[in-house]
Amino acid sequence: GAGVSQSPSNKVTEKGKDVELRCDPISGHTALYWYRQSLGQGLEFLIYFQGNSAPDKSGLPSDRFSAERTGGSVSTLTIQRTQQEDSAVYLCASSFQGRDTQYFGPGTRLTVL
Amino acid sequence: AQKITQTQPGMFVQEKEAVTLDCTYDTSDPSYGLFWYKQPSSGEMIFLIYQGSYDQQNATEGRYSLNFQKARKSANLVISASQLGDSAMYFCAMRASTGRRALTFGSGTRLQVQP
């Protein structure tokens, strides 16, 4: 079956612009996660959605970052007023329930000039 | 808080030989899960193997096995009969069974398989 998909695969933007990254989880998976992978910080958790529960936003690095999940499926990660330190690969993962194995998408490589 | 330590930034192995990638962890949670992921140069994180903290036996998946030593807080990945396609970054990760569901990752080990 189809895996986790993310779009765009690459995004180049100018400092100060807003960007939106999209994640389509595996069909039927109720849990969705966003992570960020950068050279200096490794893999960092950003935000977690489970069903209709309030999201766990404890990993978001600043209030410029936000995410939503519509209809319990597709999720959008928004970064406002991008900074150069936001340059990283943003990975989305989903799992059947919050306790199960997380399956990752191919990531979106964000470059902020 | 949880912490994963991978002390081998890079490893080399000859094709067809076995290799062990080290992982130690620290957590105060009584129940947790340990995972290994492979990240080839394409960038996608590929799930390899899972070990639950209360599992009595070490997990195995094909050529992958997890050497779980709970008292030592180690969860080493063993790859048998290495193949050229095994060249990649390997990440150890853990997640508590209650509370926060996010994975905590180690810094990774880059494995290069030589012909």
Side-chain angles (χ1 to χ4, degrees), chain A residues 35 37 45 98-99 102, chain B residues 37 39 95 100-103:
Chain A
Y35 294 86
Q37 185 175 26
F45 163 72
R99 298 179 63 181
Q102 296 175 29
Chain B
Y37 286 86
Q39 189 177 43
R95 184 200 65 215
R100 193 179 189 183
R101 297 284 190 248
L103 291 170

Side-chain angles (χ1 to χ4, degrees), chain A residues 18-99:
Chain A
D18 297 352
V19 295
E20 286 189 351
L21 313 180
R22 176 187 168 107
C23 172
D24 250 299
I26 293 171
S27 178
H29 279 195
T30 59
L32 186 148
Y33 311 76
W34 283 98
Y35 294 86
R36 178 170 70 174
Q37 185 175 26
S38 57
L39 283 176
Q41 301 298 321
L43 276 148
E44 306 171 277
F45 163 72
L46 296 177
I47 188 168
Y48 158 61
F49 297 89
Q50 171 59 60
N52 295 322
S53 302
D56 175 359
K57 304 180 182 179
S58 59
L60 294 178
S62 77
D63 58 9
R64 296 186 296 104
F65 288 72
S66 63
E68 63 177 18
R69 189 178 184 193
T70 54
S73 181
V74 172
S75 176
T76 302
L77 177 69
T78 301
I79 309 173
Q80 295 179 313
R81 305 182 302 283
T82 51
Q83 304 293 313
Q84 288 182 332
E85 60 262 30
D86 299 334
S87 295
V89 175
Y90 289 81
L91 293 164
C92 176
S94 70
S95 66
F96 179 62
Q97 291 179 358
R99 298 179 63 181

Side-chain angles (χ1 to χ4, degrees), chain B residues 78-92:
Chain B
V78 180
I79 306 174
S80 63
S82 297
Q83 302 172 356
L84 295 178
D86 294 335
S87 295
M89 281 290 287
Y90 288 80
F91 290 95
C92 181

Side-chain angles (χ1 to χ4, degrees), chain B residues 37 56-58 93 97 104:
Chain B
Y37 286 86
Q56 295 296 312
Q57 294 189 334
N58 287 342
S97 294
T104 300

